[in-house]
Amino acid sequence: MSSLMKVFDLVPVVQQLDGNLRNSQITCFTYSNTILYIGTIDGHILRYSINKSNYLGESIGFKSELIDSNLVLQKKAISSLTVVSKLQKILCLSDSILCPINFEDLEPSSTFSILKSKNVSCYYFNEKYIENNSEISILCVCIRGRTVQIYFIRDEDVTFFKEISLPGYCVQMVMNQNYICAACDNSYMIINILNSKIQVLFPYNPEQMDPFIQPYLQNEFLLNCPGDLGMFATTEGHTTRPPVAWCPDVIKFQIIPPYVLCLKRDSQLKVYNLNDSKLRQEINSFDTIRLIKHINEENCVLISSFNEIYAFISLGIVCQVEQLLDKNLVDDALNLFETSASSFAADEFEKQMKKIKIRAAFIEFFENDNISKSQNLFIEANTDYKLLALMIPDLISNSSINEELPKKYVQYLKNDQKQINFKNMLIELMIKSKTVTKNEEYTSVLLKLCTELRHDLLSSADFYTTLPIKFCLQSMDMLKDAQKYHATALIKLLAGNHEEAFDIWKDLIEEKMNDNNFPGFDYLIEQLSKCNDHQVVWKYVDWAMKIDQAKAVQIFTNRESDELNSERMRTEIIIENLTKYKTALFIYTDFLVNKKNLKNEKYMTLLIGMHLEKIIELLRIPSDERASDWNSTVDKEREGFQNLLENSSNFKAQMILAKLKEFEDILQLECAILYGKIEEHEKALKILVYNLEDYVTAMNYCLKHSKESMKNRKILFNTLFSIYLNPSYKDKDKLLVPALDLMNSNLIIYFDIPKLMEMIPSNWSIKVLGEFLANVMHYNLSRKHSKLVEKNLAVTHKVNLKTSLFNIQKEQFYIDDDSVCCKCQKSFDSTLIIRLPNGLLIHKSCKNDSKSPRKN
């Protein structure tokens, strides 16, 4: 769709020159304070009074009246006119001569002759130049196209500032703050008027295009460049925004943000958006347009033909936005209004933006089929849900559509899929709306929509926390009729009716009623674990245990740690009630010991006993009834049981030993661990060595159970060695190798060597004992050397301390009336004084009070 629209109204200002100049031609004009000055080809200046008026009863227009005219230069065309308000003069350029003209009589002025210049190729007048926080005017005059002369104009005072030489012939220049942008020969350049530095910007070919420059914002220019582009350039010589892609043969342009009005060589006028280069308006109603000029005072552009002047008056931004919306150009409309924010008061801007976004949202949904974008726009505009809800039949009773915009689009909702999408969007709008009043009507509408389309929301407890529960309760019948029983249970739960909610879920689990949105048994267990009404919780425990003990026990294990305790939720009460449910009791006891870290003897013994019972039950299964994975199951259970025994200490080991007596031939490693717990180490080691033949575990047993005590370690290793050499053991010969390995290992340091030597059989040869004896000698020599080194180091340290003490004691220090304590800064009143290593003096009491006294 075409993006063309009406941005400007064309309004006549001067339709024909008056008096005897009716056949003359306009060569220039300027405007100031409701006065229009026109220069002609034959040297006349005409002065018109311009008044705003209603044009054709609607648009703003202008009414002109000729005040007077004067012949300034005989038959010499006037090239340019500029009003200098501070001097009450008009600058007139004609025949390369710049001279001031009086306001009163339009005659050349006899004052301010400093401004009169010859050989002027062009000039630029900046009426509002800021210097040292004060506003002055500045005039830049280009002489012979090669030299720029700069003048400062203060109240009725003109001073020459400086002269800058140019590297080429200047055909146009404009000024922005401290910088001049000039078109010279075949390139644009930036000139700093303060330091006279010149920086070349873009090149151009004057035979292929007309150079033209306009200032834009602060410290920025817009230039007509090759490639049919309008290039932005900062005063630093950079470009910080994309160029404007406009039509070929542009000779002049004027900026009226956010637009630029371009004049082509064939007198066509085209209006482009500065931000996206989109063509917005074309004007082809003139045969010849010679001049185009932006008038800041009236915020319009004046154009002239040979003998007429027209004004382009910008339509209101809201009107332009509505035109874009009429063409379904939503993004363009929003961008245009956002970039024009400075034209509105804050409240008015927000009000208009809301209206625009709502209309844009309707367009996106119903005409552009962009549901996501439409939804975002409705939400951003904080749209009243009623505006949309009234479009859906029977959603709000006893109400009708009053606004025109919904009426325009309600027919679209006859399409079923369109209506479904619209309802889904309305749900999102109602949920995300920031300022909506969540009353009974709002709650009813939202629940109706969700009952039809959003079962996921009805099944979420978080959804109801945002709604007034008292109004949700009023919609219970509607939910029941729609068989949304899970939703009704959630509402009752949030309303504090826990038992009623649990009864509904219980009936759903027992299939007394059906709701596909109910998550199932796990969800009920989760809610029971969160319920603080413990009396209600116990009502459902036995029922839940009969369904699944492993899940039901989560009622107790998943409770919040900071929950207030009650008599009904004491650990002893829970264990007592779970005794008839072995699986649940085992899981709960394991939770107490390993998760809550309650290393109570009662709980530890109970957990270990139940673990053992599980293993015994597996072992009692007849071999012909065992499953294929029986061995792996037993191994896994035994491994867990062994780890539990190893890492536990506060339990009744004798009781556990008595329980596994029946299967002690199978559970031998478990017996060894338990004997270790009651410190019957010899029995434990005999099981490891004689029965299991696990010599590495036996060695590790000695290291672990010695508890870092060298005395206990020697006893245990000597016991282990004596077990290896027990002459009454029937297979004593096969223990010779592990005995020698133990003797020859680096664990020799843990043995009581004399007792070990006594245990060695007398028939062992020196060859067998050679490595052992060498290790013993090496160990004893190393130990002797270490002791000697330690002794010598201690002696050296003692000598150093005595030397330091002697050096300190031989030093003298003096105390007089000016001597003070380095801590409290008070004088010394006794001879009991402490001298610190750094030489400072301190009271004994102060030294005791402070570990680090302050230094002077």
Side-chain angles (χ1 to χ4, degrees), residues 428-468:
E428 291 299 322
L429 170 64
M430 295 180 72
I431 292 173
K432 296 178 181 179
S433 180
K434 298 176 182 177
T435 59
V436 65
T437 302
K438 296 181 178 180
N439 53 20
E440 181 180 358
E441 183 183 71
Y442 169 89
T443 306
S444 174
V445 169
L446 184 56
L447 289 179
K448 280 182 182 178
L449 291 170
C450 290
T451 300
E452 180 183 352
L453 298 172
R454 292 297 300 274
H455 305 151
D456 58 318
L457 290 177
L458 290 179
S459 303
S460 170
D462 292 339
F463 171 67
Y464 298 100
T465 58
T466 64
L467 300 175

Side-chain angles (χ1 to χ4, degrees), residues 211-391:
F212 196 75
I213 314 165
Q214 283 289 292
Y216 180 63
L217 301 181
Q218 187 173 5
N219 295 323
E220 197 166 4
F221 301 95
L222 180 60
L223 298 78
N224 188 21
C225 289
D228 305 325
L229 295 175
M231 298 290 292
F232 293 95
T234 66
T235 52
E236 301 297 325
H238 305 138
T239 180
T240 58
R241 64 183 83 230
V244 181
W246 53 38
C247 55
D249 296 328
V250 171
I251 58 173
K252 294 179 182 179
F253 56 83
Q254 289 294 323
I255 300 171
I256 306 182
Y259 301 106
V260 57
L261 183 61
C262 298
L263 173 62
K264 293 180 62 178
R265 198 180 306 279
D266 60 3
S267 295
Q268 286 189 28
L269 289 166
K270 292 183 181 289
V271 180
Y272 293 89
N273 190 305
L274 281 170
N275 299 311
D276 55 21
S277 301
K278 289 184 178 179
L279 178 64
R280 290 306 186 199
Q281 188 175 1
E282 291 182 321
I283 299 149
N284 304 313
S285 56
F286 294 96
D287 294 332
T288 304
I289 299 178
R290 303 184 61 187
L291 303 171
I292 178 171
K293 191 168 187 177
H294 181 218
I295 307 300
N296 287 323
E297 293 178 46
E298 305 296 347
N299 192 29
C300 69
V301 173
L302 296 183
I303 65 170
S304 76
S305 60
F306 284 122
N307 55 10
E308 295 176 315
I309 294 181
Y310 287 84
F312 279 97
I313 299 176
S314 176
L315 298 179
I317 292 297
V318 174
C319 177
Q320 297 176 39
V321 168
E322 288 176 352
Q323 291 183 65
L324 290 170
L325 291 176
D326 289 340
K327 296 175 178 291
N328 295 349
L329 300 174
V330 169
D331 289 337
D332 292 350
L334 292 173
N335 290 336
L336 174 61
F337 194 73
E338 286 172 358
T339 55
S340 305
S342 59
S343 304
F344 297 86
D347 292 344
E348 179 64 19
F349 177 79
E350 291 298 329
K351 180 180 177 181
Q352 291 293 339
M353 178 58 89
K354 180 174 181 176
K355 290 182 179 178
I356 292 168
K357 283 187 175 179
I358 291 175
R359 184 181 173 192
F362 274 106
I363 292 170
E364 287 292 352
F365 186 90
F366 289 106
E367 300 189 37
N368 295 349
D369 289 325
N370 193 334
I371 299 172
S372 175
K373 189 172 182 179
S374 174
Q375 176 179 302
N376 291 336
L377 286 169
F378 275 127
I379 293 172
E380 289 172 12
N382 205 16
T383 310
D384 184 357
Y385 75 93
K386 289 185 182 179
L387 185 70
L388 307 184
L390 290 172
M391 298 175 66

Side-chain angles (χ1 to χ4, degrees), residues 638-650:
R638 285 189 65 189
E639 183 180 355
F641 184 54
Q642 291 162 12
N643 289 332
L644 184 60
L645 291 176
E646 288 280 7
N647 298 318
S648 305
S649 57
N650 193 15

Side-chain angles (χ1 to χ4, degrees), residues 674-691:
L674 289 168
Y675 280 128
K677 294 295 181 180
I678 59 178
E679 298 190 356
E680 293 188 15
H681 302 303
E682 187 171 354
K683 287 183 179 180
L685 289 170
K686 282 183 178 179
I687 291 174
L688 295 173
V689 173
Y690 295 157
N691 299 352

Side-chain angles (χ1 to χ4, degrees), residues 101-288:
I101 304 295
N102 295 325
F103 264 5
E104 300 81 7
D105 54 12
L106 299 182
E107 292 287 346
S109 174
S110 59
T111 59
F112 304 110
S113 58
I114 188 174
L115 294 178
K116 190 169 184 179
S117 305
K118 295 182 179 181
N119 302 314
V120 176
S121 58
C122 60
Y123 71 92
Y124 187 82
F125 177 68
N126 186 358
E127 188 168 13
K128 295 181 179 180
Y129 174 79
I130 306 300
E131 181 192 44
N132 298 329
N133 296 324
S134 62
E135 185 179 295
I136 65 172
S137 298
I138 189 169
L139 175 66
C140 302
V141 181
C142 186
I143 307 298
R144 293 188 174 88
R146 299 284 181 174
T147 304
V148 176
Q149 294 178 349
I150 301 172
Y151 299 88
F152 285 166
I153 302 175
R154 297 174 178 87
D155 295 335
E156 298 188 359
D157 178 51
V158 181
T159 56
F160 176 75
F161 174 58
K162 67 162 45 177
E163 189 173 272
I164 302 174
S165 297
L166 301 179
Y169 188 85
C170 179
V171 295
Q172 188 204 359
M173 62 181 176
V174 298
M175 188 177 180
N176 198 334
Q177 292 299 105
N178 296 321
Y179 296 86
I180 296 172
C181 185
C184 297
D185 287 342
N186 55 7
S187 62
Y188 293 107
M189 55 189 65
I190 295 286
I191 305 162
N192 187 324
I193 67 171
L194 299 180
N195 59 23
S196 303
K197 288 186 177 179
I198 299 175
Q199 180 181 0
V200 176
L201 297 176
F202 310 107
Y204 63 85
N205 187 343
E207 295 180 358
Q208 296 178 357
M209 56 157 281
D210 295 279
F212 196 75
I213 314 165
Q214 283 289 292
Y216 180 63
L217 301 181
Q218 187 173 5
N219 295 323
E220 197 166 4
F221 301 95
L222 180 60
L223 298 78
N224 188 21
C225 289
D228 305 325
L229 295 175
M231 298 290 292
F232 293 95
T234 66
T235 52
E236 301 297 325
H238 305 138
T239 180
T240 58
R241 64 183 83 230
V244 181
W246 53 38
C247 55
D249 296 328
V250 171
I251 58 173
K252 294 179 182 179
F253 56 83
Q254 289 294 323
I255 300 171
I256 306 182
Y259 301 106
V260 57
L261 183 61
C262 298
L263 173 62
K264 293 180 62 178
R265 198 180 306 279
D266 60 3
S267 295
Q268 286 189 28
L269 289 166
K270 292 183 181 289
V271 180
Y272 293 89
N273 190 305
L274 281 170
N275 299 311
D276 55 21
S277 301
K278 289 184 178 179
L279 178 64
R280 290 306 186 199
Q281 188 175 1
E282 291 182 321
I283 299 149
N284 304 313
S285 56
F286 294 96
D287 294 332
T288 304

Side-chain angles (χ1 to χ4, degrees), residues 572-717:
E572 292 77 7
I573 297 295
I574 296 173
I575 290 177
E576 181 182 342
N577 281 275
L578 293 182
T579 50
K580 52 188 173 183
Y581 306 110
K582 288 185 178 181
T583 301
L585 180 60
F586 177 79
I587 295 172
Y588 183 69
T589 310
D590 182 70
F591 164 75
L592 293 177
V593 172
N594 295 317
K595 298 291 178 61
K596 296 192 73 173
N597 205 28
L598 299 179
K599 303 301 182 183
N600 181 290
E601 182 185 88
K602 177 182 177 181
Y603 304 148
M604 290 295 303
T605 305
L606 179 60
L607 176 61
I608 293 172
M610 287 190 291
H611 220 308
L612 178 59
E613 286 177 5
K614 289 178 67 176
I615 296 173
I616 290 174
E617 285 179 4
L618 289 169
L619 295 176
R620 283 178 175 163
I621 297 174
S623 58
D624 57 342
E625 297 180 9
R626 292 172 180 173
S628 58
D629 62 344
W630 180 86
N631 287 326
S632 61
T633 303
V634 171
D635 291 343
K636 183 179 179 181
E637 291 293 336
R638 285 189 65 189
E639 183 180 355
F641 184 54
Q642 291 162 12
N643 289 332
L644 184 60
L645 291 176
E646 288 280 7
N647 298 318
S648 305
S649 57
N650 193 15
F651 67 94
K652 295 178 181 179
Q654 291 282 13
M655 181 188 296
I656 305 302
L657 269 171
K659 284 187 176 183
L660 60 75
K661 198 72 175 175
E662 180 184 351
F663 293 97
E664 63 181 357
D665 293 339
I666 299 174
L667 307 177
Q668 294 190 53
L669 182 56
E670 289 82 347
C671 288
I673 296 172
L674 289 168
Y675 280 128
K677 294 295 181 180
I678 59 178
E679 298 190 356
E680 293 188 15
H681 302 303
E682 187 171 354
K683 287 183 179 180
L685 289 170
K686 282 183 178 179
I687 291 174
L688 295 173
V689 173
Y690 295 157
N691 299 352
L692 299 176
E693 298 181 0
D694 191 344
Y695 311 121
V696 174
T697 302
M699 181 180 64
N700 291 332
Y701 177 95
C702 295
L703 291 170
K704 179 179 178 181
H705 287 271
S706 60
K707 300 176 182 177
E708 302 298 330
S709 168
M710 184 60 73
K711 179 181 178 182
N712 292 338
R713 193 160 287 181
K714 287 184 177 181
I715 293 172
L716 286 175
F717 272 103

Side-chain angles (χ1 to χ4, degrees), residues 698-814:
M699 181 180 64
N700 291 332
Y701 177 95
C702 295
L703 291 170
K704 179 179 178 181
H705 287 271
S706 60
K707 300 176 182 177
E708 302 298 330
S709 168
M710 184 60 73
K711 179 181 178 182
N712 292 338
R713 193 160 287 181
K714 287 184 177 181
I715 293 172
L716 286 175
F717 272 103
N718 279 49
T719 301
L720 177 59
F721 192 68
S722 66
I723 291 172
Y724 281 142
L725 299 181
N726 184 2
S728 63
Y729 182 57
K730 58 182 179 179
D731 294 328
K732 61 181 180 180
D733 292 338
K734 68 179 181 180
L735 297 179
L736 177 62
V737 173
L740 290 174
D741 289 341
L742 181 62
M743 289 173 57
N744 298 329
S745 70
N746 56 5
L747 299 175
I748 191 66
I749 60 175
Y750 300 134
F751 282 86
D752 187 337
I753 302 299
K755 288 186 179 181
L756 180 64
M757 297 290 288
E758 292 176 2
M759 287 187 281
I760 296 175
S762 58
N763 60 345
W764 282 15
S765 65
I766 295 297
K767 183 178 179 181
V768 172
L769 298 174
E771 184 178 350
F772 164 69
L773 294 174
N775 288 340
V776 170
M777 291 296 295
H778 180 268
Y779 168 68
N780 285 333
L781 287 173
S782 297
R783 189 179 178 191
K784 181 178 179 181
H785 291 156
S786 298
K787 292 292 183 182
L788 183 60
V789 170
E790 290 175 5
K791 178 182 177 181
N792 291 334
L793 288 173
V795 170
T796 302
H797 182 60
K798 182 177 180 181
V799 170
N800 290 336
L801 289 176
K802 285 186 175 182
T803 302
S804 299
L805 179 61
F806 174 76
N807 291 332
I808 292 173
Q809 289 176 340
K810 75 177 183 178
E811 292 182 9
Q812 296 181 348
F813 61 91
Y814 300 93

